[in-house]
Amino acid sequence: MRLQYKIMTLVTTLVVTLVIVLTVVMFRTWFESIQKQVALDAMDQAVIISENTEVKLNMEAINGYLTVNRAVENLYLKTGIQYIYVINENGHYYAHPHPDRVNSIMNEGEIKGDIDITSPAYYYALTLDATVEGYAPIFTNGVKTGLVVVGIFNGRVIQTMMGQVLWLALFSFAAIGIGFFGAYLLSRNIKRDISGLEPAEIALLLNQKDMILENIGEGIIATNHKGQFILVNENARHLMDMPLSEGDTLSQLPFYPYFIEDHYRLKERFEFEWRLSQSRIIAVSIKPLVQIHEQLGFLIKIDDMSIVRKRAEELTEMKQLTQALRAQNHEFMNKLHAISGLIQLEAYDGALDYIESITAPRQAMLQLIQERIKILSVGGLLLTKHSKLTEKQVVFNIDEDSRLEALPEQMNEQEVTSVLGNLIDNAEEAISQQNDKRIHVGIFQDNRELVLTVSDNGPGMTDDQLERCFERGFSSKGEDRGYGLDIVKRIIDANGGEIQLSTQNGFTVTVTIPYNFDGGNAS
């Protein structure tokens, strides 16, 4: 059976059942209401008879039943009541529809209600063949002398209801017809909303979607507006190295802060890299899902960047080396031109003095790096920065007590050069607008930690800038900047280190990295 017909059958069955139940309840309530009203009418008639003077005065008179029965017979013609009993306190009928029962003893069960009442009452039962009765006690000179019973058969009740039963039936059939039409419209709309597909076709499409998601090389996570996962593929679990499942929340992800910071949350899309461990770096792309200004959730795409990052770092090293060679070539060409001119002028002593003046600082720097810095990539970076900054009239010094023989186990050379390079670049930008430019670098280590310091004699930072300096994209120097300290902080956090900032006599950044950090996820 097709889905539309199943829905129509189910809804129609529910409507018919509901209408039948409502009809029965309405009929029963209606029947009871009319019965009660008839019973109250019977009780009112009984009260009127009990107050009749002839009845009251003859309840204790000799042969008083004759007068009482005659008085009651006259009331039959006026009221149309089915039967009236008048019973004295000894249980004798003083009035009865059958003349042969007058002055006879009342049989047990002939009266439905309680005959010992002292106030008017009534009785009715919810059956079609039952009788409705009204009762009123008779008092003569303040003493109860008998009881009036007025009875009306349910035929009168049914006769009263018959005129309304037709309307009730019409209402029931109309409700069933409306329910059937509503079931048709509902089933048609549901069928239209699911593009006319049958359940088996929908299941097939869902299975195909799951197969496609599981075979995509990227990790995919989708959330609803509450931040709960509604879709997680296997690659996402593998790349995150976490047992993620549908129903989990964004707060379980290590990069959860991105979802609560307005700087990122309000963007149409934002991307970043995240270090999960020493050997695992992922690229994360987050796109808010918005429909008519209402945010429905997030779509998170995760890529494994460890291999790509490694190759990029190798290319970066080559680029740094190329830039260093270019800077040195430019610097040496200028100096060679000066030496050539001195030789042509036959100022040989001046040429020798000039050569000594330009080689001595470089030789001193080179000797310091060779003796104290045993990590070649770090030494190469410092030598390149020295050459480049010296050409820009920046005094670049390395602390004489600097020493670097080995890196922390959890940290690689690319990370150290990235930290130092970004800190030196930031210092260079900070002093670019002043005449006296100085940068001081220190690298220290012992058995417990590695300490890197970079100082400049620039203007420093304001309190507001200090609070926001690690925000990605924040910079006081213009747009498309402000990534250096963010990169530094992420690397240091990933390696369990700390960063301290000082604005005394310029600006100083001190980075401390422990040697015994166990790795772990960045936070």
Side-chain angles (χ1 to χ4, degrees):
M1 183 182 294
R2 296 176 64 84
L3 178 61
Q4 183 174 359
Y5 300 145
K6 289 182 179 179
I7 296 174
M8 286 183 60
T9 302
L10 175 62
V11 174
T12 302
T13 302
L14 291 176
V15 170
V16 170
T17 303
L18 180 61
V19 168
I20 291 174
V21 171
L22 288 176
T23 301
V24 171
V25 171
M26 288 176 62
F27 183 85
R28 179 183 176 88
T29 304
W30 199 1
F31 182 65
E32 181 179 4
S33 175
I34 294 177
Q35 265 197 325
K36 184 175 180 180
Q37 185 59 48
V38 172
L40 288 172
D41 292 343
M43 183 183 73
D44 291 340
Q45 292 294 333
V47 170
I48 293 173
I49 296 172
S50 69
E51 295 295 332
N52 184 279
T53 303
E54 288 186 274
V55 173
K56 293 173 67 174
L57 294 177
N58 287 280
M59 288 303 297
E60 293 182 333
I62 298 173
N63 298 325
Y65 62 88
L66 297 174
T67 304
V68 171
N69 189 57
R70 185 170 53 253
V72 169
E73 285 180 347
N74 293 331
L75 292 174
Y76 275 117
L77 301 176
K78 297 179 181 180
T79 61
I81 296 172
Q82 275 73 30
Y83 62 86
I84 300 175
Y85 301 147
V86 177
I87 307 166
N88 70 359
E89 285 296 280
N90 295 323
H92 287 78
Y93 283 115
Y94 268 42
H96 197 284
H98 302 289
D100 57 334
R101 294 293 309 277
V102 176
N103 202 31
S104 66
I105 296 294
M106 175 186 64
N107 296 324
E108 184 177 357
E110 284 188 298
I111 306 301
K112 308 295 184 183
D114 185 8
I115 63 174
D116 296 326
I117 60 173
T118 58
S119 60
Y122 58 85
Y123 166 85
Y124 65 89
L126 296 178
T127 56
L128 295 178
D129 59 348
T131 301
V132 173
E133 292 182 342
Y135 313 104
I138 302 171
F139 289 92
T140 304
N141 297 325
V143 179
K144 182 181 178 183
T145 56
L147 177 70
V148 177
V149 180
V150 175
I152 301 174
F153 296 123
N154 264 347
R156 177 179 168 184
V157 176
I158 296 173
Q159 184 179 5
T160 304
M161 292 187 62
M162 286 304 295
Q164 308 298 331
V165 169
L166 178 60
W167 291 105
L168 184 62
L170 290 176
F171 166 78
S172 300
F173 285 116
I176 291 174
I178 294 173
F180 179 80
F181 183 67
Y184 168 74
L185 293 179
L186 176 63
S187 61
R188 190 181 67 173
N189 288 337
I190 292 176
K191 192 71 173 178
R192 183 180 59 193
D193 290 341
I194 60 177
S195 302
L197 298 175
E198 291 296 314
E201 296 172 324
I202 296 174
L204 178 61
L205 289 176
L206 290 174
N207 289 333
Q208 291 173 343
K209 183 203 72 171
D210 291 339
M211 291 177 64
I212 292 171
L213 287 173
E214 295 303 332
N215 286 280
I216 291 177
E218 302 166 336
I220 301 294
I221 300 175
T223 76
N224 59 17
H225 67 285
K226 296 180 180 179
Q228 295 177 324
F229 297 164
I230 58 176
L231 187 150
V232 182
N233 70 351
E234 188 60 33
N235 283 328
R237 300 184 184 94
H238 172 70
L239 292 173
M240 294 296 299
D241 194 22
M242 296 175 64
L244 302 175
S245 60
E246 296 178 2
D248 291 344
T249 60
L250 288 172
S251 59
Q252 296 177 250
L253 298 176
F255 43 82
Y256 173 66
Y258 278 99
F259 295 95
I260 58 177
E261 295 180 13
D262 288 344
H263 179 72
Y264 303 103
R265 183 171 54 84
L266 299 179
K267 292 186 176 182
E268 292 185 2
R269 178 191 295 269
F270 49 99
E271 300 176 347
F272 56 90
E273 294 180 8
W274 191 267
R275 179 179 293 276
L276 292 175
S277 64
Q278 176 64 22
S279 59
R280 174 66 63 85
I281 302 173
I282 58 173
V284 182
S285 174
I286 301 175
K287 179 177 176 56
L289 303 177
V290 180
Q291 184 179 37
I292 314 178
H293 306 295
E294 180 183 0
Q295 183 162 321
L296 305 180
F298 291 96
L299 178 64
I300 306 169
K301 185 177 71 173
I302 304 170
D303 287 318
D304 188 352
M305 289 297 294
S306 300
I307 298 176
V308 176
R309 181 69 179 272
K310 184 177 180 181
R311 292 174 180 172
E313 289 172 346
E314 292 175 353
L315 291 174
T316 301
E317 289 182 7
M318 294 297 295
K319 183 178 180 180
Q320 289 177 346
L321 180 59
T322 302
Q323 291 176 345
L325 291 174
R326 287 178 179 175
Q328 290 177 1
N329 178 65
H330 184 70
E331 180 185 358
F332 288 152
M333 287 300 296
N334 290 333
K335 291 178 173 60
L336 286 174
H337 288 156
I339 294 170
S340 175
L342 289 171
I343 293 175
Q344 290 176 11
L345 295 172
E346 298 182 353
Y348 303 117
D349 291 337
L352 290 174
D353 292 340
Y354 179 71
I355 293 172
E356 184 176 353
S357 68
I358 62 176
T359 57
R362 183 176 179 80
Q363 288 296 325
M365 177 64 68
L366 181 59
Q367 183 178 359
L368 175 62
I369 291 174
Q370 289 177 336
E371 291 179 356
R372 312 289 292 183
I373 308 299
K374 301 302 182 181
I375 305 301
L376 298 181
S377 59
V378 177
L381 173 69
L382 294 174
L383 191 59
T384 300
K385 293 295 184 183
H386 175 265
S387 300
K388 179 181 176 182
L389 294 172
T390 299
E391 186 177 355
K392 294 183 178 181
Q393 305 301 314
V394 177
V395 178
F396 182 79
N397 293 321
I398 299 178
D399 196 291
E400 294 182 354
D401 294 328
S402 294
R403 181 172 66 91
L404 180 59
E405 297 182 356
L407 297 178
E409 292 184 0
Q410 76 275 10
M411 198 172 193
N412 57 42
E413 295 183 17
Q414 290 81 9
E415 291 175 322
V416 176
T417 56
S418 178
V419 170
L420 270 177
N422 278 291
L423 292 179
I424 294 172
D425 290 342
N426 277 3
E428 179 186 352
E429 291 182 1
I431 61 177
S432 60
Q433 302 300 320
Q434 60 191 52
N435 295 324
D436 182 23
K437 306 173 184 178
R438 298 177 181 275
I439 296 177
H440 184 82
V441 176
I443 304 176
F444 313 99
Q445 71 173 162
D446 55 25
N447 294 332
R448 296 177 304 166
E449 59 192 17
L450 170 65
V451 180
L452 309 176
T453 65
V454 176
S455 305
D456 64 67
N457 65 334
M461 291 187 180
T462 64
D463 291 341
D464 179 63
Q465 290 172 339
L466 283 174
E467 290 181 1
R468 300 186 58 193
C469 66
F470 292 114
E471 291 183 12
R472 188 175 182 87
F474 172 77
S475 175
S476 61
K477 305 178 182 67
E479 298 182 357
D480 297 326
R481 307 176 71 88
Y483 298 98
L485 287 179
D486 174 71
I487 294 173
V488 169
K489 188 174 188 306
R490 294 186 183 281
I491 294 176
I492 298 308
D493 285 347
N495 289 279
E498 296 179 352
I499 302 176
Q500 294 180 341
L501 306 178
S502 173
T503 57
Q504 294 182 355
N505 300 322
F507 187 67
T508 302
V509 181
T510 303
V511 174
T512 305
I513 305 160
Y515 272 86
N516 58 353
F517 183 61
D518 59 1
N521 289 343
S523 62

